[in-house]
Amino acid sequence: MKKLVLLIAALVVSVNTFSQVVADDVIGQFWTEKKEGKIEIYKENDIYFGKIIWRKDARLDTENPDEALRDRSVIGIVFMEDFVFDGGKWVDGEIYSIDNGNVYASKMWFEDDKDTLKLRGFVGLSLFGKTATLTRVKE
């Protein structure tokens, strides 16, 4: 009985160890909620960014507040900037909305596994915002 308890305890510890999130777990490609777009999250100097790499409706950035940028394609836009890893989440970032041209404070975290990423954009407090669910692209 004592060996069984020790075995179960060892399994619980090992499962918790393997499921812990590390900073670079977020690097990779993710589908948007409706799979109408694909983004790539990458790292530069311990800061995380995201860019649009594919969209079903590859259009121009017509909602950009900078008129000089309205003729550029949304493909390739770095719309997620300055995320830092802190306590299992990526925080202090900003996201640019190609739908309305606004920039929002943002944070992201894994929900159930390392393939389901939550991205929350908000104004002021996180309470006042919207969360999107991104799904890791499986090759």
Side-chain angles (χ1 to χ4, degrees), residues 3-4 9 11 15 17 20 25 27-28 51 66-67 81 103 114 117 127-128 133 139:
K3 287 182 182 181
L4 179 61
L11 287 173
V15 167
T17 301
Q20 288 180 346
D25 285 343
I27 293 174
K51 66 181 173 182
D66 183 343
E67 289 184 27
E81 296 184 334
V103 175
K114 294 179 184 176
L117 184 66
L127 178 65
F128 306 108
T133 302
E139 297 300 327

Side-chain angles (χ1 to χ4, degrees), residues 6 12 61 96-97 99 103 107 122 129 135:
L6 289 174
V12 168
D61 190 17
Y96 165 69
S97 171
D99 293 328
V103 175
K107 63 183 178 178
F122 53 93
T135 307

